[in-house]
PDB file of all heavy atoms in Angstrom:
ATOM      1  N   ALA A 123      22.151  28.442  24.510  1.00 98.00           N
ATOM      2  CA  ALA A 123      21.741  27.697  23.268  1.00 98.00           C
ATOM      3  C   ALA A 123      22.922  26.820  22.776  1.00 98.00           C
ATOM      4  O   ALA A 123      22.713  25.755  22.215  1.00 98.00           O
ATOM      5  CB  ALA A 123      21.340  28.692  22.193  1.00 98.00           C
ATOM      6  N   VAL A 126      22.844  23.420  24.263  1.00 98.00           N
ATOM      7  CA  VAL A 126      21.846  22.581  23.650  1.00 98.00           C
ATOM      8  C   VAL A 126      22.345  22.054  22.329  1.00 98.00           C
ATOM      9  O   VAL A 126      22.224  20.869  21.979  1.00 98.00           O
ATOM     10  CB  VAL A 126      20.503  23.370  23.393  1.00 98.00           C
ATOM     11  CG1 VAL A 126      19.527  22.513  22.629  1.00 98.00           C
ATOM     12  CG2 VAL A 126      19.942  23.736  24.768  1.00 98.00           C
ATOM     13  N   ASP A 127      23.017  22.921  21.522  1.00 98.00           N
ATOM     14  CA  ASP A 127      23.595  22.526  20.254  1.00 98.00           C
ATOM     15  C   ASP A 127      24.603  21.404  20.369  1.00 98.00           C
ATOM     16  O   ASP A 127      24.735  20.524  19.516  1.00 98.00           O
ATOM     17  CB  ASP A 127      24.236  23.707  19.556  1.00 98.00           C
ATOM     18  CG  ASP A 127      23.251  24.713  19.024  1.00 98.00           C
ATOM     19  OD1 ASP A 127      22.087  24.381  18.794  1.00 98.00           O
ATOM     20  OD2 ASP A 127      23.672  25.894  18.927  1.00 98.00           O
ATOM     21  N   LEU A 129      24.803  18.965  22.628  1.00 97.00           N
ATOM     22  CA  LEU A 129      24.379  17.809  23.285  1.00 97.00           C
ATOM     23  C   LEU A 129      24.530  16.564  22.377  1.00 97.00           C
ATOM     24  O   LEU A 129      24.158  16.592  21.214  1.00 97.00           O
ATOM     25  CB  LEU A 129      22.866  17.922  23.740  1.00 97.00           C
ATOM     26  CG  LEU A 129      22.577  18.856  24.855  1.00 97.00           C
ATOM     27  CD1 LEU A 129      21.039  19.002  25.030  1.00 97.00           C
ATOM     28  CD2 LEU A 129      23.199  18.421  26.158  1.00 97.00           C
ATOM     29  N   TYR A 139      13.157  16.885  26.372  1.00 98.00           N
ATOM     30  CA  TYR A 139      13.094  18.117  25.590  1.00 98.00           C
ATOM     31  C   TYR A 139      14.123  19.114  26.123  1.00 98.00           C
ATOM     32  O   TYR A 139      13.920  19.675  27.258  1.00 98.00           O
ATOM     33  CB  TYR A 139      11.700  18.699  25.594  1.00 98.00           C
ATOM     34  CG  TYR A 139      11.421  19.726  24.531  1.00 98.00           C
ATOM     35  CD1 TYR A 139      11.483  19.388  23.209  1.00 98.00           C
ATOM     36  CD2 TYR A 139      11.058  21.055  24.886  1.00 98.00           C
ATOM     37  CE1 TYR A 139      11.215  20.311  22.170  1.00 98.00           C
ATOM     38  CE2 TYR A 139      10.765  21.967  23.880  1.00 98.00           C
ATOM     39  CZ  TYR A 139      10.850  21.599  22.552  1.00 98.00           C
ATOM     40  OH  TYR A 139      10.554  22.530  21.534  1.00 98.00           O
ATOM     41  N   ALA A 140      15.243  19.216  25.466  1.00 98.00           N
ATOM     42  CA  ALA A 140      16.332  20.093  25.935  1.00 98.00           C
ATOM     43  C   ALA A 140      16.164  21.543  25.408  1.00 98.00           C
ATOM     44  O   ALA A 140      15.940  21.660  24.126  1.00 98.00           O
ATOM     45  CB  ALA A 140      17.664  19.527  25.548  1.00 98.00           C
ATOM     46  N   TRP A 141      16.226  22.499  26.256  1.00 98.00           N
ATOM     47  CA  TRP A 141      15.943  23.871  25.764  1.00 98.00           C
ATOM     48  C   TRP A 141      16.770  24.900  26.528  1.00 98.00           C
ATOM     49  O   TRP A 141      17.230  24.641  27.618  1.00 98.00           O
ATOM     50  CB  TRP A 141      14.438  24.211  25.867  1.00 98.00           C
ATOM     51  CG  TRP A 141      13.974  24.375  27.250  1.00 98.00           C
ATOM     52  CD1 TRP A 141      13.574  23.361  28.145  1.00 98.00           C
ATOM     53  CD2 TRP A 141      13.771  25.599  27.973  1.00 98.00           C
ATOM     54  NE1 TRP A 141      13.149  23.919  29.318  1.00 98.00           N
ATOM     55  CE2 TRP A 141      13.286  25.293  29.271  1.00 98.00           C
ATOM     56  CE3 TRP A 141      13.965  26.942  27.603  1.00 98.00           C
ATOM     57  CZ2 TRP A 141      13.004  26.250  30.184  1.00 98.00           C
ATOM     58  CZ3 TRP A 141      13.662  27.898  28.542  1.00 98.00           C
ATOM     59  CH2 TRP A 141      13.190  27.585  29.817  1.00 98.00           C
ATOM     60  N   ALA A 142      16.921  26.068  25.841  1.00 98.00           N
ATOM     61  CA  ALA A 142      17.588  27.181  26.473  1.00 98.00           C
ATOM     62  C   ALA A 142      17.037  28.467  25.820  1.00 98.00           C
ATOM     63  O   ALA A 142      16.587  28.455  24.669  1.00 98.00           O
ATOM     64  CB  ALA A 142      19.118  27.106  26.267  1.00 98.00           C
ATOM     65  N   TRP A 143      17.103  29.540  26.590  1.00 98.00           N
ATOM     66  CA  TRP A 143      16.731  30.850  26.037  1.00 98.00           C
ATOM     67  C   TRP A 143      17.797  31.352  25.055  1.00 98.00           C
ATOM     68  O   TRP A 143      18.994  31.292  25.352  1.00 98.00           O
ATOM     69  CB  TRP A 143      16.614  31.900  27.162  1.00 98.00           C
ATOM     70  CG  TRP A 143      15.469  31.687  28.042  1.00 98.00           C
ATOM     71  CD1 TRP A 143      15.459  31.342  29.356  1.00 98.00           C
ATOM     72  CD2 TRP A 143      14.044  31.921  27.708  1.00 98.00           C
ATOM     73  NE1 TRP A 143      14.156  31.272  29.895  1.00 98.00           N
ATOM     74  CE2 TRP A 143      13.274  31.649  28.900  1.00 98.00           C
ATOM     75  CE3 TRP A 143      13.365  32.319  26.531  1.00 98.00           C
ATOM     76  CZ2 TRP A 143      11.899  31.754  28.941  1.00 98.00           C
ATOM     77  CZ3 TRP A 143      11.986  32.399  26.536  1.00 98.00           C
ATOM     78  CH2 TRP A 143      11.244  32.142  27.730  1.00 98.00           C
ATOM     79  N   GLU A 144      17.368  31.730  23.870  1.00 98.00           N
ATOM     80  CA  GLU A 144      18.231  32.452  22.977  1.00 98.00           C
ATOM     81  C   GLU A 144      18.060  34.011  23.215  1.00 98.00           C
ATOM     82  O   GLU A 144      19.018  34.713  23.159  1.00 98.00           O
ATOM     83  CB  GLU A 144      17.893  32.179  21.539  1.00 98.00           C
ATOM     84  CG  GLU A 144      18.366  30.867  21.028  1.00 98.00           C
ATOM     85  CD  GLU A 144      18.173  30.687  19.564  1.00 98.00           C
ATOM     86  OE1 GLU A 144      17.140  31.068  18.998  1.00 98.00           O
ATOM     87  OE2 GLU A 144      19.103  30.118  18.877  1.00 98.00           O
ATOM     88  N   ILE A 151      13.559  30.692  21.776  1.00 98.00           N
ATOM     89  CA  ILE A 151      14.120  29.511  22.447  1.00 98.00           C
ATOM     90  C   ILE A 151      14.816  28.615  21.448  1.00 98.00           C
ATOM     91  O   ILE A 151      14.368  28.472  20.302  1.00 98.00           O
ATOM     92  CB  ILE A 151      13.010  28.717  23.195  1.00 98.00           C
ATOM     93  CG1 ILE A 151      12.695  29.364  24.542  1.00 98.00           C
ATOM     94  CG2 ILE A 151      13.323  27.229  23.336  1.00 98.00           C
ATOM     95  CD1 ILE A 151      11.570  28.751  25.324  1.00 98.00           C
ATOM     96  N   ARG A 152      15.900  27.961  21.887  1.00 98.00           N
ATOM     97  CA  ARG A 152      16.584  26.899  21.130  1.00 98.00           C
ATOM     98  C   ARG A 152      16.270  25.605  21.836  1.00 98.00           C
ATOM     99  O   ARG A 152      16.381  25.451  23.053  1.00 98.00           O
ATOM    100  CB  ARG A 152      18.118  27.171  21.156  1.00 98.00           C
ATOM    101  CG  ARG A 152      18.906  26.034  20.520  1.00 98.00           C
ATOM    102  CD  ARG A 152      18.748  26.008  18.992  1.00 98.00           C
ATOM    103  NE  ARG A 152      19.612  24.992  18.398  1.00 98.00           N
ATOM    104  CZ  ARG A 152      19.126  23.947  17.747  1.00 98.00           C
ATOM    105  NH1 ARG A 152      17.785  23.709  17.617  1.00 98.00           N
ATOM    106  NH2 ARG A 152      19.945  23.046  17.200  1.00 98.00           N
ATOM    107  N   ALA A 153      15.848  24.564  21.032  1.00 98.00           N
ATOM    108  CA  ALA A 153      15.468  23.333  21.602  1.00 98.00           C
ATOM    109  C   ALA A 153      15.854  22.153  20.722  1.00 98.00           C
ATOM    110  O   ALA A 153      16.041  22.269  19.513  1.00 98.00           O
ATOM    111  CB  ALA A 153      13.912  23.310  21.793  1.00 98.00           C
ATOM    112  N   ARG A 154      16.033  21.007  21.381  1.00 98.00           N
ATOM    113  CA  ARG A 154      16.192  19.720  20.715  1.00 98.00           C
ATOM    114  C   ARG A 154      15.414  18.691  21.468  1.00 98.00           C
ATOM    115  O   ARG A 154      15.191  18.810  22.679  1.00 98.00           O
ATOM    116  CB  ARG A 154      17.714  19.335  20.660  1.00 98.00           C
ATOM    117  CG  ARG A 154      18.484  20.240  19.766  1.00 98.00           C
ATOM    118  CD  ARG A 154      19.981  19.900  19.868  1.00 98.00           C
ATOM    119  NE  ARG A 154      20.327  18.602  19.313  1.00 98.00           N
ATOM    120  CZ  ARG A 154      21.480  17.982  19.496  1.00 98.00           C
ATOM    121  NH1 ARG A 154      22.426  18.532  20.231  1.00 98.00           N
ATOM    122  NH2 ARG A 154      21.659  16.788  18.966  1.00 98.00           N
ATOM    123  N   ALA A 155      14.988  17.658  20.771  1.00 97.00           N
ATOM    124  CA  ALA A 155      14.081  16.638  21.363  1.00 97.00           C
ATOM    125  C   ALA A 155      14.657  15.259  21.133  1.00 97.00           C
ATOM    126  O   ALA A 155      14.999  14.884  20.058  1.00 97.00           O
ATOM    127  CB  ALA A 155      12.664  16.768  20.755  1.00 97.00           C
ATOM    128  N   PHE A 156      14.671  14.479  22.215  1.00 97.00           N
ATOM    129  CA  PHE A 156      15.190  13.139  22.197  1.00 97.00           C
ATOM    130  C   PHE A 156      14.103  12.175  22.722  1.00 97.00           C
ATOM    131  O   PHE A 156      13.916  12.064  23.948  1.00 97.00           O
ATOM    132  CB  PHE A 156      16.470  13.042  23.016  1.00 97.00           C
ATOM    133  CG  PHE A 156      17.531  14.016  22.598  1.00 97.00           C
ATOM    134  CD1 PHE A 156      17.734  15.193  23.343  1.00 97.00           C
ATOM    135  CD2 PHE A 156      18.279  13.810  21.468  1.00 97.00           C
ATOM    136  CE1 PHE A 156      18.696  16.137  22.985  1.00 97.00           C
ATOM    137  CE2 PHE A 156      19.246  14.748  21.108  1.00 97.00           C
ATOM    138  CZ  PHE A 156      19.467  15.912  21.841  1.00 97.00           C
ATOM    139  N   GLU A 165      16.499  11.504  17.436  1.00 96.00           N
ATOM    140  CA  GLU A 165      16.169  12.921  17.660  1.00 96.00           C
ATOM    141  C   GLU A 165      14.981  13.325  16.816  1.00 96.00           C
ATOM    142  O   GLU A 165      14.965  13.032  15.586  1.00 96.00           O
ATOM    143  CB  GLU A 165      17.408  13.843  17.399  1.00 96.00           C
ATOM    144  CG  GLU A 165      17.101  15.271  17.652  1.00 96.00           C
ATOM    145  CD  GLU A 165      18.374  16.128  17.595  1.00 96.00           C
ATOM    146  OE1 GLU A 165      19.495  15.614  17.547  1.00 96.00           O
ATOM    147  OE2 GLU A 165      18.210  17.416  17.715  1.00 96.00           O
ATOM    148  N   ASP A 166      14.070  14.002  17.412  1.00 94.00           N
ATOM    149  CA  ASP A 166      12.869  14.515  16.722  1.00 94.00           C
ATOM    150  C   ASP A 166      13.128  15.935  16.245  1.00 94.00           C
ATOM    151  O   ASP A 166      13.441  16.790  17.011  1.00 94.00           O
ATOM    152  CB  ASP A 166      11.695  14.477  17.709  1.00 94.00           C
ATOM    153  CG  ASP A 166      10.349  14.299  16.997  1.00 94.00           C
ATOM    154  OD1 ASP A 166      10.322  13.987  15.796  1.00 94.00           O
ATOM    155  OD2 ASP A 166       9.318  14.395  17.642  1.00 94.00           O
ATOM    156  N   GLU A 167      12.943  16.127  14.927  1.00 96.00           N
ATOM    157  CA  GLU A 167      13.265  17.404  14.364  1.00 96.00           C
ATOM    158  C   GLU A 167      12.392  18.562  14.833  1.00 96.00           C
ATOM    159  O   GLU A 167      12.827  19.678  14.970  1.00 96.00           O
ATOM    160  CB  GLU A 167      13.218  17.331  12.798  1.00 96.00           C
ATOM    161  CG  GLU A 167      13.383  18.599  12.026  1.00 96.00           C
ATOM    162  CD  GLU A 167      14.717  19.291  12.278  1.00 96.00           C
ATOM    163  OE1 GLU A 167      15.712  18.602  12.643  1.00 96.00           O
ATOM    164  OE2 GLU A 167      14.817  20.534  12.131  1.00 96.00           O
ATOM    165  N   ALA A 172       5.771  18.797  22.917  1.00 97.00           N
ATOM    166  CA  ALA A 172       6.756  19.262  23.941  1.00 97.00           C
ATOM    167  C   ALA A 172       6.750  20.792  23.974  1.00 97.00           C
ATOM    168  O   ALA A 172       6.877  21.380  25.070  1.00 97.00           O
ATOM    169  CB  ALA A 172       8.140  18.751  23.615  1.00 97.00           C
ATOM    170  N   ALA A 173       6.623  21.435  22.828  1.00 98.00           N
ATOM    171  CA  ALA A 173       6.547  22.906  22.824  1.00 98.00           C
ATOM    172  C   ALA A 173       5.262  23.384  23.549  1.00 98.00           C
ATOM    173  O   ALA A 173       5.304  24.394  24.262  1.00 98.00           O
ATOM    174  CB  ALA A 173       6.500  23.385  21.377  1.00 98.00           C
ATOM    175  N   LEU A 176       6.065  23.158  27.302  1.00 98.00           N
ATOM    176  CA  LEU A 176       6.977  24.253  27.707  1.00 98.00           C
ATOM    177  C   LEU A 176       6.217  25.589  27.782  1.00 98.00           C
ATOM    178  O   LEU A 176       6.377  26.355  28.723  1.00 98.00           O
ATOM    179  CB  LEU A 176       8.127  24.352  26.755  1.00 98.00           C
ATOM    180  CG  LEU A 176       9.228  25.339  27.113  1.00 98.00           C
ATOM    181  CD1 LEU A 176       9.867  24.992  28.434  1.00 98.00           C
ATOM    182  CD2 LEU A 176      10.329  25.370  26.021  1.00 98.00           C
ATOM    183  N   ASN A 185       8.786  31.470  20.466  1.00 98.00           N
ATOM    184  CA  ASN A 185       9.243  31.299  19.135  1.00 98.00           C
ATOM    185  C   ASN A 185      10.431  30.334  19.231  1.00 98.00           C
ATOM    186  O   ASN A 185      11.516  30.710  19.647  1.00 98.00           O
ATOM    187  CB  ASN A 185       9.665  32.635  18.520  1.00 98.00           C
ATOM    188  CG  ASN A 185      10.074  32.528  17.085  1.00 98.00           C
ATOM    189  OD1 ASN A 185      10.395  31.476  16.558  1.00 98.00           O
ATOM    190  ND2 ASN A 185      10.159  33.653  16.384  1.00 98.00           N
ATOM    191  N   ILE A 186      10.214  29.078  18.858  1.00 98.00           N
ATOM    192  CA  ILE A 186      11.176  27.989  19.107  1.00 98.00           C
ATOM    193  C   ILE A 186      11.862  27.565  17.831  1.00 98.00           C
ATOM    194  O   ILE A 186      11.208  27.269  16.859  1.00 98.00           O
ATOM    195  CB  ILE A 186      10.457  26.801  19.707  1.00 98.00           C
ATOM    196  CG1 ILE A 186       9.784  27.163  21.081  1.00 98.00           C
ATOM    197  CG2 ILE A 186      11.430  25.654  19.996  1.00 98.00           C
ATOM    198  CD1 ILE A 186       8.847  26.086  21.612  1.00 98.00           C
ATOM    199  N   THR A 187      13.194  27.525  17.874  1.00 98.00           N
ATOM    200  CA  THR A 187      13.986  26.922  16.829  1.00 98.00           C
ATOM    201  C   THR A 187      14.419  25.562  17.329  1.00 98.00           C
ATOM    202  O   THR A 187      15.099  25.423  18.333  1.00 98.00           O
ATOM    203  CB  THR A 187      15.234  27.732  16.466  1.00 98.00           C
ATOM    204  OG1 THR A 187      14.808  29.036  15.965  1.00 98.00           O
ATOM    205  CG2 THR A 187      16.019  27.053  15.364  1.00 98.00           C
ATOM    206  N   GLN A 188      13.959  24.513  16.650  1.00 98.00           N
ATOM    207  CA  GLN A 188      14.288  23.119  17.122  1.00 98.00           C
ATOM    208  C   GLN A 188      14.987  22.374  15.995  1.00 98.00           C
ATOM    209  O   GLN A 188      14.821  22.650  14.849  1.00 98.00           O
ATOM    210  CB  GLN A 188      12.998  22.385  17.469  1.00 98.00           C
ATOM    211  CG  GLN A 188      13.278  21.021  18.101  1.00 98.00           C
ATOM    212  CD  GLN A 188      12.032  20.258  18.447  1.00 98.00           C
ATOM    213  OE1 GLN A 188      11.051  20.854  18.917  1.00 98.00           O
ATOM    214  NE2 GLN A 188      11.994  18.961  18.283  1.00 98.00           N
ATOM    215  N   GLY A 189      15.784  21.405  16.454  1.00 95.00           N
ATOM    216  CA  GLY A 189      16.488  20.534  15.501  1.00 95.00           C
ATOM    217  C   GLY A 189      17.463  21.279  14.636  1.00 95.00           C
ATOM    218  O   GLY A 189      18.199  22.148  15.161  1.00 95.00           O
ATOM    219  N   THR A 190      17.497  21.019  13.339  1.00 95.00           N
ATOM    220  CA  THR A 190      18.463  21.670  12.419  1.00 95.00           C
ATOM    221  C   THR A 190      17.989  23.013  11.924  1.00 95.00           C
ATOM    222  O   THR A 190      18.785  23.759  11.327  1.00 95.00           O
ATOM    223  CB  THR A 190      18.777  20.765  11.258  1.00 95.00           C
ATOM    224  OG1 THR A 190      17.552  20.387  10.610  1.00 95.00           O
ATOM    225  CG2 THR A 190      19.502  19.505  11.700  1.00 95.00           C
ATOM    226  N   GLY A 191      16.707  23.356  12.161  1.00 96.00           N
ATOM    227  CA  GLY A 191      16.259  24.631  11.615  1.00 96.00           C
ATOM    228  C   GLY A 191      14.762  24.790  11.560  1.00 96.00           C
ATOM    229  O   GLY A 191      14.247  25.645  10.855  1.00 96.00           O
ATOM    230  N   SER A 192      14.011  23.935  12.278  1.00 98.00           N
ATOM    231  CA  SER A 192      12.565  24.024  12.253  1.00 98.00           C
ATOM    232  C   SER A 192      12.084  25.130  13.212  1.00 98.00           C
ATOM    233  O   SER A 192      12.751  25.470  14.128  1.00 98.00           O
ATOM    234  CB  SER A 192      11.965  22.685  12.720  1.00 98.00           C
ATOM    235  OG  SER A 192      12.417  21.639  11.887  1.00 98.00           O
ATOM    236  N   ILE A 194       8.741  26.587  15.487  1.00 98.00           N
ATOM    237  CA  ILE A 194       7.482  26.367  16.152  1.00 98.00           C
ATOM    238  C   ILE A 194       7.050  27.627  16.909  1.00 98.00           C
ATOM    239  O   ILE A 194       7.844  28.142  17.656  1.00 98.00           O
ATOM    240  CB  ILE A 194       7.553  25.192  17.122  1.00 98.00           C
ATOM    241  CG1 ILE A 194       8.111  23.919  16.457  1.00 98.00           C
ATOM    242  CG2 ILE A 194       6.204  24.895  17.799  1.00 98.00           C
ATOM    243  CD1 ILE A 194       8.457  22.814  17.462  1.00 98.00           C
TER     244      ILE A 194
END
Side-chain angles (χ1 to χ4, degrees):
V126 174
D127 289 335
L129 290 173
Y139 196 62
W141 69 279
W143 290 111
E144 283 189 319
I151 278 176
R152 174 71 176 116
R154 293 173 66 192
F156 305 102
E165 181 170 352
D166 208 10
E167 173 61 25
L176 185 59
N185 183 343
I186 301 170
T187 299
Q188 185 179 324
T190 53
S192 301
I194 305 169

